[in-house]
Amino acid sequence: MAKNIQSLERAAAMLRLLAGGERRLGLSDIASSLDLAKGTAHGILRTLQAEGFVEQDPASGRYQLGAELLRLGNSYLDVHELRARALVWTDDLARSSGESVHLGVLHQHGVLVVHHVFRPDDSRQVLEVGAMQPLHSTALGKVLAAYDPVAHTEAVESDRKSFTPRTVTDLEEFEAVLDGTRARGWAADVEETWEGVAAVAAPIHDRRRMPVGAVAITGSVERICDGTELRPALITAVRECARAVSRDLGAGRF
């Protein structure tokens, strides 16, 4: 029988450790939990981090799982209930709006795109499944921060980086944006993250009426907006899509 490769076994054990319990673990915690020398644990972590399987929080130095695991887990995403329930509705939304559609969930300090429907034209586009988006500036992120207490904490405690002159970074202003999101049931991003790009998003709830994700229409400012205002038809369309997915997840009518 072939002998197992010890370094791979240790790396696998490390990923399992990071997947459960605390959201983030320090080097000493990881080393002691797996009965490894700190130098050995650090070497494995450094390799996993270089491959994107592990991320290190720059402020605390603690480690957590990386988004690369989700990119490799497309077979899992195919059976993930949220994505599976959203497939038909997001396809319909892309066709009716003529824009690309993203489905996002809270992951670590941001939004992980778990499904992406291309804009239905012949333009060249890049698949963004597995990409991370910021919580404080994107439409998907603001929806999650408004409805999910964990996402709210992450957004409030994080460094709200300014991507464009329109990015809201002040905490009081950001909280006001979230209040507005909850009041109207949707969030917008008009050149707050990327110049020339706008988006509108709405929350998805499960059978417990808990927020489990968000869906967004994304495109150029000229197509998403009519002058300085978002096109009402697109707001209605994305909200109806979110409600449909929520109903399929057992949330009933919102």
Side-chain angles (χ1 to χ4, degrees):
M1 181 180 292
K3 186 176 181 180
N4 291 344
I5 300 175
Q6 188 180 55
S7 59
L8 291 180
E9 289 182 330
R10 288 173 171 174
M14 200 168 285
L15 292 174
R16 292 191 187 98
L17 178 65
L18 291 170
E22 297 289 335
R23 291 177 64 83
R24 308 182 191 95
L25 293 172
L27 174 61
S28 297
D29 300 323
I30 295 170
S32 61
S33 296
L34 299 179
D35 196 23
L36 297 174
K38 280 189 178 180
T40 301
H42 185 255
I44 296 172
L45 284 167
R46 190 170 61 244
T47 301
L48 291 172
Q49 185 178 3
E51 296 299 325
F53 298 142
V54 163
E55 298 170 357
Q56 186 179 29
D57 179 63
S60 67
R62 291 176 172 266
Y63 294 90
Q64 58 199 15
L65 293 181
E68 184 64 22
L69 288 173
L70 272 295
R71 291 192 180 94
L72 293 179
N74 279 334
S75 59
Y76 167 74
L77 292 177
D78 286 339
V79 298
H80 187 281
E81 186 178 9
L82 173 60
R83 184 175 183 272
R85 298 286 186 178
L87 287 177
V88 173
W89 299 110
T90 50
D91 282 349
D92 287 347
L93 180 60
R95 278 195 298 270
S96 65
S97 67
E99 302 296 340
S100 63
V101 174
H102 295 93
L103 184 70
V105 298
L106 176 65
H107 180 70
Q108 318 271 324
H109 302 294
V111 184
L112 177 67
V113 177
V114 296
H115 185 50
H116 174 198
V117 185
F118 282 164
R119 185 172 62 256
D121 59 21
D122 296 327
S123 62
R124 185 175 180 179
Q125 300 172 65
V126 177
L127 185 65
E128 295 183 29
V129 172
M132 293 292 293
Q133 296 187 3
L135 282 169
H136 70 285
S137 63
T138 62
L140 287 172
K142 284 185 272 188
V143 162
L144 292 175
Y147 288 91
D148 184 335
V150 176
H152 179 266
T153 299
E154 292 281 5
V156 168
E157 294 182 352
S158 69
D159 177 20
R160 289 175 297 282
K161 180 181 176 181
S162 180
F163 299 106
T164 76
R166 293 174 176 263
T167 308
V168 175
T169 58
D170 177 75
L171 180 56
E172 187 174 341
E173 289 182 38
F174 180 63
E175 291 285 18
V177 169
L178 298 187
D179 288 341
T181 297
R182 284 186 287 268
R184 65 193 181 190
W186 54 271
D189 167 9
V190 180
E191 296 189 285
E192 293 178 52
T193 311
W194 302 282
E195 296 281 359
V197 178
V200 57
I204 296 172
H205 298 79
D206 65 8
R207 61 184 58 87
R208 300 167 298 163
R209 300 293 182 98
M210 296 295 291
V212 293
V215 61
I217 293 173
T218 304
S220 69
V221 173
E222 293 77 14
R223 295 194 306 268
I224 302 297
C225 299
D226 183 5
T228 59
E229 299 295 326
L230 289 161
R231 297 184 186 276
L234 295 181
I235 297 172
T236 299
V238 77
R239 295 190 72 190
E240 288 179 349
C241 177
R243 291 191 189 104
V245 178
S246 297
R247 286 196 298 271
D248 278 4
L249 289 170
R253 299 189 66 84
F254 271 80

